[in-house]
Amino acid sequence: MSILLPPIQELERPTAIHVLAGGQSRRMGRNKVDLMLGSLPLAQWSQCSAKSLNQGEVTMVREDRRSGQGPLAGMETAMLAMPARIHLFLTCDMPFVSSRTMEELITVSSQHQRIACMQSRGFMGFPMAVPHSTLSRIGDLLDARQRRLQSLLSVPSALCFAWHEEDAAEAWNINTPEDLAIARECIEREGWVAPLIDRQKPLNCVQGNVS
């Protein structure tokens, strides 16, 4: 599917923020989106932190236009529904990503017109910011049945960042009942509440040149 895109400078909306929540939650055994974590449903943690940026509406993507095709399909769905110069993608199962991380990814992607993503446990992935021009590549990958996120991030131009050890909680994925129990214990012990705004150290660039 080749998508004809308008020039980025003609897009009226500078930034769109999307929380991907369309997965099947097999390891959790039930829909993760509405599971309670502290005083909020799981998905609303990242949504609340994103809203603190005051960069417009934060959408929740719960149904993909290409069902069962993984996160790339969710990204395609969001970008077609809400065109913007830069798209920030969050996931419903990463509740502790700070708004500072989100803002830095948006800024880097906008300045360089490249994908800016995070790395955790050696894998590149979410959260990530992508220019709207990336929509064509996503559509082509899905047409070719290349559903893996790494297919999108394999381009040499992608910029990749990592959290420092002190801020490793931002990378937590809540995928199983055990993960959820640990997260609940942690927020009770540490007193975390949304929105999570700051972190201790700047992001560490591990791939690409942002100078």
Side-chain angles (χ1 to χ4, degrees):
M1 180 185 64
S2 180
I3 301 173
L4 183 61
L5 301 176
I8 288 177
Q9 62 270 23
E10 292 184 8
L11 294 169
E12 295 182 4
R13 186 181 290 107
T15 308
I17 303 177
H18 318 280
V19 180
L20 300 180
Q24 298 182 12
S25 306
R26 290 191 181 96
R27 283 184 285 174
M28 184 64 73
R30 54 187 294 196
N31 194 316
K32 289 185 286 190
V33 175
D34 299 317
L35 291 173
M36 293 303 296
L37 180 61
S39 61
L40 289 174
L42 178 60
Q44 287 188 23
W45 278 76
S46 57
Q47 189 176 39
C48 192
S49 297
K51 286 181 177 178
S52 72
L53 293 173
N54 295 315
Q55 296 207 32
E57 183 180 359
V58 181
T59 63
M60 187 84 67
V61 184
R62 302 185 80 151
E63 292 187 12
D64 301 339
R65 63 189 298 269
R66 305 198 206 201
S67 179
Q69 298 301 304
L72 289 182
M75 295 171 69
E76 180 190 55
T77 300
M79 295 172 82
L80 287 171
M82 186 174 289
R85 296 172 197 165
I86 298 294
H87 296 264
L88 176 69
F89 289 101
L90 311 168
T91 62
C92 68
D93 54 11
M94 294 183 70
F96 304 132
V97 176
S98 70
S99 58
R100 181 180 176 187
T101 294
M102 300 175 192
E103 186 171 36
E104 289 185 15
L105 291 174
I106 290 170
T107 298
V108 168
S109 182
S110 180
Q111 287 178 346
H112 298 273
Q113 287 301 305
R114 294 156 71 181
I115 296 172
C117 66
M118 296 302 300
Q119 175 180 286
S120 178
R121 300 178 182 177
F123 292 96
M124 299 163 66
F126 297 109
M128 74 173 70
V130 303
H132 195 70
S133 57
T134 311
L135 176 57
S136 290
R137 175 166 167 77
I138 292 173
D140 290 343
L141 288 170
L142 289 169
D143 288 346
R145 301 187 182 278
Q146 298 184 42
R147 306 186 315 172
R148 295 179 64 252
L149 191 62
Q150 300 306 310
S151 299
L152 176 67
L153 301 179
S154 63
V155 294
S157 60
L159 300 168
C160 185
F161 298 84
W163 290 282
H164 293 272
E165 185 176 349
E166 295 90 330
D167 303 298
E170 289 200 44
W172 286 2
N173 281 97
I174 312 300
N175 288 318
T176 66
E178 293 75 19
D179 293 339
L180 183 63
I182 293 171
R184 285 170 171 167
E185 291 175 3
C186 187
I187 64 169
E188 289 180 10
R189 182 177 65 250
E190 303 295 336
W192 293 345
V193 293
L196 298 176
I197 298 173
D198 214 349
R199 69 177 122 73
Q200 295 187 44
K201 291 185 176 181
L203 295 177
N204 178 30
C205 185
V206 295
Q207 175 179 304
N209 185 355
V210 294
S211 61

